[in-house]
Amino acid sequence: IYGVPNQPLIGSYIDFEQAKVYLRCLSQELKNQTPNGVVNPQSWGGLFLQGTDPDLNIFTFDGTNINGTGLTLQNVNTFNIQVPEGSTVLINVLGEDLGFQNAGMLFNWQQISTEQNKLIFWNLPDALNLTSTGISIRGSLLAPYATADMNNGNVEGNLILLNLRGNIEEHNDLFEGCF
């Protein structure tokens, strides 16, 4: 192919239009899953996601006003995911204009490991605009309608967006959880 000797011919290709349709449908399906975990915002800016299911813990909240407290996703300074080791974590964050900023992410009050990154899935099904600054987002992030401005941070998982601007690192810890 393309004049390169001994280059194997690739017989299939990515149908990006089909992938876009699939990912948008997946995002809506995940949004409609019944939450079984507790979203517990703290007055000091922490957000505790507490679940007990050994297989799948589902959290859903409005990222523009978490549980009516006035705390927004962008104002959270510490995320602590408290679930059984080895369980999949689905975090549905609702809202069109969302952001992550200068927050730490923990798993049962410990640093999140590479293996745990692979079990965390952030679903932002309604997001049109997403910003992130100075944060390591732990886990995969799906925002299939969002244009994202992401700077001075990284994502430790799959990153799927409509458009991306900025200078963010992506560490490809592929999602291995089970829905």
Side-chain angles (χ1 to χ4, degrees):
I1 297 177
Y2 307 109
V4 178
N6 302 319
Q7 178 70 25
L9 180 63
I10 299 172
S12 63
Y13 62 96
I14 298 171
D15 183 335
F16 286 99
E17 193 58 36
Q18 183 181 25
K20 179 172 79 172
V21 169
Y22 168 77
L23 291 166
R24 286 180 171 179
C25 287
L26 173 64
S27 185
Q28 292 304 309
E29 277 184 40
L30 295 174
K31 172 185 173 178
N32 293 325
Q33 297 298 305
T34 303
N36 63 355
V38 176
V39 177
N40 191 0
Q42 304 296 302
S43 60
W44 49 269
L47 183 61
F48 299 169
L49 303 175
Q50 299 165 308
T52 58
D53 192 290
D55 298 315
L56 174 61
N57 291 278
I58 303 169
F59 306 93
T60 300
F61 61 90
D62 180 346
T64 63
N65 186 7
I66 302 170
N67 292 1
T69 63
L71 182 66
T72 68
L73 182 69
Q74 189 161 348
N75 297 125
V76 171
N77 59 39
T78 304
F79 294 89
N80 187 26
I81 300 169
Q82 300 169 320
V83 299
E85 185 70 40
S87 65
T88 298
V89 177
L90 170 60
I91 307 166
N92 289 307
V93 184
L94 309 179
E96 291 183 0
D97 295 305
L98 300 171
F100 291 92
Q101 182 172 311
N102 302 322
M105 291 192 178
L106 303 169
F107 185 90
N108 294 327
W109 291 110
Q110 302 294 316
Q111 182 176 346
I112 298 175
S113 71
T114 299
E115 291 309 309
Q116 290 162 336
N117 288 337
K118 295 175 183 181
L119 298 174
I120 301 170
F121 196 93
W122 295 84
N123 180 39
L124 286 60
D126 306 320
L128 301 176
N129 302 297
L130 175 65
T131 59
S132 85
T133 304
I135 186 169
S136 176
I137 299 171
R138 307 305 292 235
S140 293
L141 189 144
L142 172 62
Y145 296 95
T147 293
D149 288 299
M150 304 177 94
N151 292 290
N152 302 322
N154 62 294
V155 175
E156 301 286 340
N158 306 82
L159 177 60
I160 303 168
L161 306 162
L162 181 63
N163 295 300
L164 174 62
R165 295 185 294 244
N167 62 354
I168 190 161
E169 288 181 34
E170 201 281 328
H171 303 152
N172 205 23
D173 293 338
L174 299 177
F175 180 70
E176 295 179 356
C178 186
F179 296 129

